[in-house]
Structures are given as structure tokens and as C-alpha cells.
């Protein structure tokens, strides 16, 4: 049995005050979604404040990205050890915004995944196809190769010990959510790629999840929760979505 996981990606939004306020509300409502795990990904500069509020309430905190390097002359980067030090237990790797805007390749994403696990962080590997790739019937090939790059570096078992988030690029921040059937089809294919060990791996759907569409998505057999962007910034809406994972 896979425990549902609801993840909130705050991206580059907020302030110290708003991050603490949001964390406070989530923490005080922990009893509403006891059967699920929750992790939030604040901007790096607020991680420590948020972790102070949330970890005591059994809500995890993570980094939105991580360096593949352990230390050194990498201006602006944050290592997995530093995230761990701040109280993180998860990290996003390969978010499509990182792949597209910061030119992260599947190889560097795999190295970030490895660095995370070496520092006892659970990586959430984000994969997904662009609209053009879907239109050209390349969805499964793209996702398969994004996951294969990580398997090649760390092995199948290590990937199964992480989390995979299917986030179609065309659905992120667009309001254009994948249908439950479209999402399930991809999730089932990912689980098949992970083999026997993948039966316990949590697979999340991400892309314009809201309380109005979450129930249908989360009721699919291979969808174990969600990675939520915009809607995770509104406490009430995110709490509703969290409850719909149960
Ligand atoms: C995301 O950033 O991972 C995401 C899914 O964003 P949104 O929910 O806003 O589409």
C-alpha cells in the first residue's frame, strides 16, 4: 500500500512573513490529512523558517533544486548536504522550468538525483513531455528516456526509492490539466518501466491541480498524490487538495 503524498512547489513566491503564515496554517491543520504525507518546497531562503514551523508537525520541507556537486566554486548553488542541514528531507530534481530555463540536461538531473540520495534526501524526479512532443506522439519516448538517464547512473533500485512526478509541460501553470485517463496512462507506463520495485514507488501527477480536478486524478490506480504549484500558495485550497488524496 502506497501512502499518498501531496507536495507544494512554492516556486519564487512570497516573503518571510507570508512563508511563515502559510506554514503556520498548514501545521495547525495537520490533523485534517493524517493519512497522507505532505512536503512543501519554499524558496531556498525561507526553508529554515518554514522547517522550524513544519517539521514538528510532521510536514516535510524540501529544496526546489540542488547542485550535483558536494562543494566548491559554484556561485549561487546549494548542495544536498546544505539542504539537509537546513532541515530538508526532499528535493525536486528536473522540474521542467529548470530543464527549460536553466538548461538542465537529463544527465545533470541524474547527477542531482544521486547527490540527493547520497545525502539522505528523497528526490522527486520530475518528468514530462512538451505539447509538441505529445502532438508528435513522443510522450512515452520522452518520459522513458528522462527516467532511463537516472536509472543508468544510479540503478533501478535507487530510482524506485525516490518519487517520480509526471508533469506534462503543457499543463504546468496553464490551467490546462491532463485528463485523469491521460495521466493514468502515463503513470502506468512509468510504473511498468520501474519493474517490480516500482510497485511501492510513489508516482505524483503535477500540472494545474486544483481542488476541482484533484479527486478524479487521485482516484486513478497509479496516481499516489500530486505536485501542486500555484494552488499550493493558498492554504485553504492546498488543504482541500491534500484531503482529496485520502
Ligand atoms: C509545478 O510547478 O510543478 C506545477 C505543477 O505548477 P502548477 O500546479 O501551477 O501547474
Amino acid at each position: 500500500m502506497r501512502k499518498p503524498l501531496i507536495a507544494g512547489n512554492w516556486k519564487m513566491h512570497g516573503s518571510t512573513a507570508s512563508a511563515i503564515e502559510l506554514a503556520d496554517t498548514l501545521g495547525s491543520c495537520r490533523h485534517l490529512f493524517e493519512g497522507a504525507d505532505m512536503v512543501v518546497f519554499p524558496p531556498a531562503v525561507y526553508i529554515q523558517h518554514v522547517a522550524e514551523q513544519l517539521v514538528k508537525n510532521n510536514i516535510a520541507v524540501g529544496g526546489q533544486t540542488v547542485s550535483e556537486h558536494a562543494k566548491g566554486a559554484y556561485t549561487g548553488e546549494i548542495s544536498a548536504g546544505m539542504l539537509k542541514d537546513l532541515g530538508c528531507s526532499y528535493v525536486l530534481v528536473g522540474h521542467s522550468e529548470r530543464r527549460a530555463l536553466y538548461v538542465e540536461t537529463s544527465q545533470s538531473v541524474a547527477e542531482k538525483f544521486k547527490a540527493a540520495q547520497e545525502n539522505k534526501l528523497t528526490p522527486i524526479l520530475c518528468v514530462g513531455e512538451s505539447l509538441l512532443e505529445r502532438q508528435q506522439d513522443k510522450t512515452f519516448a520522452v518520459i522513458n528516456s528522462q527516467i532511463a538517464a537516472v536509472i543508468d547512473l544510479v540503478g533501478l533500485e535507487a530510482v524506485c526509492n525516490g518519487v517520480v512526478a509526471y508533469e506534462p509541460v503543457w499543463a504546468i501553470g496553464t490551467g490546462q490539466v491532463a485528463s485523469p485517463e491521460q495521466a493514468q496512462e502515463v503513470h502506468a507506463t512509468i510504473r511498468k518501466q520501474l519493474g517490480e520495485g516500482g510497485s511501492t514507488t510513489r508516482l505524483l501527477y503535477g500540472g494545474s491541480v486544483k481542488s476541482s480536478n484533484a479527486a478524479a486524478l487521485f482516484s486513478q490506480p497509479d496516481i499516489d498524490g500530486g505536485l501542486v504549484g500555484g494552488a499550493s500558495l493558498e492554504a485553504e485550497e492546498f488543504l482541500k487538495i491534500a484531503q482529496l488524496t485520502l
Side-chain angles (χ1 to χ4, degrees), residues 64-83:
Q64 295 178 9
T65 183
V66 66
S67 172
E68 54 270 53
H69 305 290
K71 63 176 178 179
Y74 301 104
T75 302
E77 290 288 277
I78 300 176
S79 72
M82 291 169 183
L83 289 176

Side-chain angles (χ1 to χ4, degrees), residues 9 11 95 167 171-173 206-208 227-230:
N9 177 11
K11 309 196 190 194
H95 190 282
E167 297 208 297
I172 296 180
S208 297
L227 174 52
V228 184

